[in-house]
Amino acid sequence: MLTVNDLLHLEPFKEFKMISGFEGIHNRISSVNIMDNPNALDWFAPEEVLISSGYFFKDDENMQEKILRQLKLINCPALIIKPFSYLGKVPDNMLTLSNELQLPIIEMPYGMSFSKVMTRVMEELSENYNALNRKSLDIHNEFFELTLHGGGLQKIADVLSTMLEASIFLCDENWKILNAKVISSYAKTIHDNHADKISLPESVIDSLTPKFEVIQKPIVRLLEFDHLNIPCIVVPVFFNEIHYGFIIVLEFHQQLRDHHYIALENSCMAFAMEQTHLAEMKRTQNQIQENFFDDLLVGNITSIPSLKNLANLQDINLNLMYTAIVFNVVFEHANVKNTINNLRYEENILKNLMDQLKKKPFATLGKCYVFQRKKQIIMLIGTTSEDSLQQSKTILADFIDAMKTKYPKCTIRCGIGNLSKQLADVHTSFFEAQETLRLMDNEPIKKKVRHYNDFFISHFFKKNIAYEELVLFFSKTLGPLYDFDLKNNSHLIETLECWISNKLNVAETARQLYIHRNSLLYRIEKIQSILVSDFKDSEELLKIQIAIKIYYILRENNTFKIQSEYH
């Protein structure tokens, strides 16, 4: 074991002068490195003696003190400075703080090179590596056995806590706490106050290096808690381009050694493997569930005994009536070319949306089953009676508004099918929800939530009135307005529909169309002059509303240019 005192007595270093931090004379040294910029502080290992010219902190007292405190946190045994290159005399504030922290500052001769110091120290340390390798192998074997026998995340936290004598938090990539081993009152308070998610102070977040999650290196910081500074280690778990989460170590009371970092590295590997194992199990369970729901939603399960057996496996109550609700999610990506990152971004948001849908207030609607099919989220709601449709619409619209605020680059729309009296018929409700989403695409004013029955008139016309009759009615009612739109590339039919749907309210219609009130009044005047209609006449207004419904039916069949034949 090499100490600071041993280093000063080596033959090449007898001209080295220890000028402060004398109580750290017996600090252990396990390696040596060069410190040439402040951003390198997070890359150093424990017990690593550092050599510097002092150039980057020569004129900044705050930087000088910050460096010494950070070096103490990572258990740097000593700072060797070549003072006469840039720094001149080592500043008094550094000497005072060095004594306080028991962190030796050593002056090296001006004529000696950094490489000579590094070479000689590494020669001296080479004989100590065998002991470290044995310790490393023991740590590796313990975590390997733990992973091999399926100890789980809690066991990983327990073992790491024992090795580091500290509290451990295992978090996912969004800082949500997965498991924890708490051994101190401070850590327990933090855990109790952040039962779902760890919130690091902004000062700590801002101090992390760019793309911090990919560096695979423990970062040491101080967290302020009850006016106390608590040492904290944050370790990102990142392998093979996948970010699994973070390991947070709180209140480690022993000095950091090389084998502590080795324990953290092995715990990261165990964490990643356990997360992969859990994800694979979840994927298998989801695949079984998806296969069941796929067959259910397309009506492939026709045998009642088979349906009962499969429903029991998925814990689905056959005694309830079910409504299918389909959420369509459209993503807007800033970087279209980065397909892998885009897919991860989408999967993460879809997962979060599903988690939210499983919470209140959706439980008030009935028994909820939520699952994913491609980029759609399907919700089956089981009830014993027909609940208020308007209540469901309100809750779903509020949910979409909240998610739009949280994920502004996502567009979420929702289609609702009719209530199925039994589970075997829920495929009909699912088809209706999908059809509702399709019809919503044709609406000029995109609404967030629609029920299949909102398009009842359209369904009635398509099923009961001949296509030619629809074309004839439309051409006689709105044909002139359609021709005007076609020739002038205008949107007067859509304007007319929005105006009528808002009960002829000019202010609300202008707001929804994002146009000025005067512009809307001009459009209305143009519509009235083309159609020569009295919109205050209820019969005339009903005829126009029917023609608008027919317009969207004809648009589905790409029949826009047929109407002119009937004028």
Side-chain angles (χ1 to χ4, degrees):
M1 180 183 71
L2 183 68
T3 67
V4 173
N5 185 56
D6 297 332
L7 180 144
L8 293 173
H9 285 84
L10 293 176
E11 185 61 34
F13 306 146
K14 289 191 175 178
E15 294 185 22
F16 281 28
K17 183 181 178 183
M18 186 172 176
I19 59 174
S20 64
F22 300 98
E23 292 188 25
I25 188 71
H26 298 297
N27 289 348
R28 290 169 44 169
I29 298 172
S30 64
S31 185
V32 62
N33 210 332
I34 295 174
M35 181 174 65
D36 59 356
N37 72 81
N39 294 328
L41 284 170
D42 287 329
W43 295 92
F44 298 131
E47 301 182 341
E48 198 167 51
V49 67
L50 298 175
I51 312 170
S52 176
S53 65
Y55 174 75
F56 71 90
F57 57 80
K58 63 185 179 70
D59 299 319
D60 189 337
E61 286 191 13
N62 289 333
M63 178 63 72
Q64 293 163 6
E65 294 186 7
K66 176 184 175 182
I67 286 169
L68 288 181
R69 292 188 185 281
Q70 186 68 13
L71 294 182
K72 179 63 178 179
L73 270 180
I74 62 174
N75 194 24
C76 171
L79 174 61
I80 300 176
I81 297 179
K82 185 185 283 190
F84 303 109
S85 298
Y86 301 104
L87 192 62
K89 180 179 178 292
V90 176
D92 291 339
N93 64 302
M94 290 189 71
L95 299 178
T96 301
L97 186 57
S98 165
N99 288 326
E100 178 187 326
L101 299 176
Q102 301 178 19
L103 174 60
I105 294 179
I106 300 170
E107 287 186 351
M108 64 180 288
Y110 179 76
M112 183 173 289
S113 68
F114 288 177
S115 60
K116 183 174 181 179
V117 176
M118 295 182 69
T119 301
R120 184 65 185 89
V121 172
M122 296 309 293
E123 287 176 356
E124 194 69 23
L125 288 170
S126 60
E127 63 185 45
N128 295 325
Y129 284 149
N130 286 336
L132 180 61
N133 287 339
R134 286 194 297 270
K135 184 71 174 177
S136 174
L137 184 60
D138 291 340
I139 292 172
H140 173 78
N141 286 339
E142 184 162 1
F143 278 106
F144 178 76
E145 287 291 323
L146 187 155
T147 305
L148 190 63
H149 294 97
L153 293 177
Q154 187 59 57
K155 187 63 175 177
I156 293 172
D158 292 345
V159 170
L160 186 60
S161 176
T162 301
M163 289 182 177
L164 271 58
E165 298 180 15
S167 296
I168 304 295
F169 293 87
L170 304 184
C171 304
D172 68 7
E173 66 276 14
N174 296 311
W175 302 95
K176 179 181 179 182
I177 299 174
L178 301 175
N179 286 88
K181 175 64 175 180
V182 176
I183 62 172
S184 69
S185 57
Y186 292 123
K188 184 179 186 305
T189 302
I190 291 174
H191 181 261
D192 292 343
N193 292 340
H194 302 85
D196 294 326
K197 190 174 182 180
I198 288 287
S199 298
L200 294 178
E202 286 188 14
S203 58
V204 173
I205 297 295
D206 293 341
S207 71
L208 299 177
T209 58
K211 295 185 177 180
F212 158 69
E213 67 276 3
V214 307
I215 66 173
Q216 304 178 53
K217 175 79 172 57
I219 303 296
V220 182
R221 291 292 185 269
L222 285 175
L223 295 183
E224 186 175 335
F225 180 77
D226 281 350
H227 307 293
L228 296 174
N229 287 323
I230 302 175
C232 164
I233 303 175
V234 183
V235 193
V237 183
F238 189 91
F239 294 100
N240 295 327
E241 300 299 317
I242 299 175
H243 182 206
Y244 293 94
F246 300 94
I247 296 177
I248 299 176
V249 184
L250 283 179
E251 286 195 287
F252 48 95
H253 296 293
Q254 19 178 357
Q255 289 186 326
L256 289 174
R257 309 289 188 198
D258 269 355
H259 67 271
H260 292 143
Y261 272 32
I262 291 168
L264 283 169
E265 289 172 2
N266 279 271
S267 66
C268 285
M269 181 66 74
F271 183 3
M273 292 178 69
E274 184 63 25
Q275 286 291 78
T276 302
H277 174 65
L278 292 174
E280 192 58 39
M281 286 180 59
K282 185 68 175 176
R283 192 175 294 112
T284 302
Q285 292 171 356
N286 287 343
Q287 188 61 57
I288 295 172
Q289 186 186 66
E290 285 175 15
N291 291 340
F292 166 71
F293 282 118
D294 280 343
D295 288 338
L296 181 67
L297 294 178
V298 297
N300 284 346
I301 306 177
T302 56
S303 167
I304 297 301
S306 296
L307 179 60
K308 287 182 177 179
N309 290 334
L310 293 169
N312 287 334
L313 288 174
Q314 300 298 328
D315 193 27
I316 294 178
N317 189 342
L318 286 170
N319 297 318
L320 300 177
M321 298 180 290
Y322 285 90
T323 300
I325 300 174
V326 180
F327 296 87
N328 195 50
V329 185
V330 178
F331 298 92
E332 175 190 340
H333 294 293
N335 186 355
V336 178
K337 294 182 179 179
N338 198 333
T339 308
I340 294 177
N341 283 345
N342 289 345
L343 288 174
R344 287 180 189 153
Y345 168 78
E346 292 176 6
E347 288 175 3
N348 188 42
I349 290 181
L350 288 170
K351 178 179 178 294
N352 289 337
L353 291 176
M354 290 174 63
D355 289 342
Q356 292 297 322
L357 286 168
K358 293 173 183 177
K359 298 179 180 178
K360 292 181 179 180
F362 300 100
T364 61
L365 299 178
K367 178 67 175 177
C368 296
Y369 302 93
V370 182
F371 53 96
Q372 180 184 338
R373 292 181 89 223
K374 298 181 180 179
K375 292 183 183 179
Q376 288 187 330
I377 297 175
I378 317 298
M379 173 185 276
L380 298 183
I381 297 181
T383 58
T384 55
S385 61
E386 297 190 28
D387 292 328
S388 167
L389 175 60
Q390 190 55 46
Q391 180 194 12
S392 301
K393 282 186 171 182
T394 302
I395 292 175
L396 293 168
D398 290 344
F399 166 75
I400 292 175
D401 285 339
M403 293 302 101
K404 183 64 177 176
T405 302
K406 188 173 183 179
Y407 306 111
K409 293 186 178 181
C410 293
T411 300
I412 308 171
R413 301 171 74 201
C414 171
I416 308 173
N418 281 311
L419 186 70
S420 299
K421 299 297 183 182
Q422 55 186 3
L423 184 63
D425 297 329
V426 78
H427 62 277
T428 303
S429 180
F430 174 68
F431 168 79
E432 292 171 347
Q434 293 279 34
E435 178 67 7
T436 302
L437 284 172
R438 188 184 68 81
L439 293 171
M440 289 169 71
D441 287 336
N442 291 324
E443 294 185 302
I445 304 300
K446 305 298 184 186
K447 297 187 177 180
K448 295 172 290 221
V449 181
R450 295 285 256 165
H451 190 276
Y452 182 75
N453 288 344
D454 294 339
F455 299 95
F456 177 80
I457 295 176
S458 297
H459 302 317
F460 178 82
F461 286 162
K462 284 193 285 186
K463 290 179 180 179
N464 298 283
I465 301 178
Y467 171 78
E468 291 77 9
E469 293 294 327
L470 294 175
V471 173
L472 182 60
F473 185 91
F474 175 79
S475 65
K476 288 184 176 181
T477 309
L478 291 181
L481 194 60
Y482 172 77
D483 281 347
F484 182 88
D485 278 345
L486 203 62
K487 291 174 183 176
N488 297 279
N489 194 27
S490 57
H491 304 281
L492 295 184
I493 291 181
E494 286 80 0
T495 301
L496 177 59
E497 185 203 12
C498 188
W499 185 42
I500 293 174
S501 67
N502 284 301
K503 301 177 182 178
L504 308 185
N505 184 311
V506 173
E508 182 61 23
T509 305
R511 188 188 69 80
Q512 287 191 14
L513 293 175
Y514 300 102
I515 61 176
H516 193 272
R517 174 189 174 91
N518 291 342
S519 299
L520 176 61
L521 290 174
Y522 171 78
R523 290 189 189 182
I524 292 172
E525 184 180 338
K526 175 63 74 174
I527 291 169
Q528 288 175 326
S529 68
I530 294 172
L531 296 180
V532 195
S533 297
D534 180 8
F535 293 104
K536 294 181 180 179
D537 185 313
S538 60
E539 290 293 328
E540 188 72 15
L541 192 60
L542 176 60
K543 185 170 69 172
I544 290 173
Q545 287 177 296
I546 291 173
I548 290 174
K549 295 291 184 184
I550 293 173
Y551 169 67
Y552 288 110
I553 295 173
L554 298 178
R555 279 205 350 173
E556 292 177 31
N557 296 286
N558 297 317
T559 55
F560 304 125
K561 296 183 181 180
I562 296 177
Q563 288 86 4
S564 59
E565 300 174 9
Y566 294 89
H567 293 210

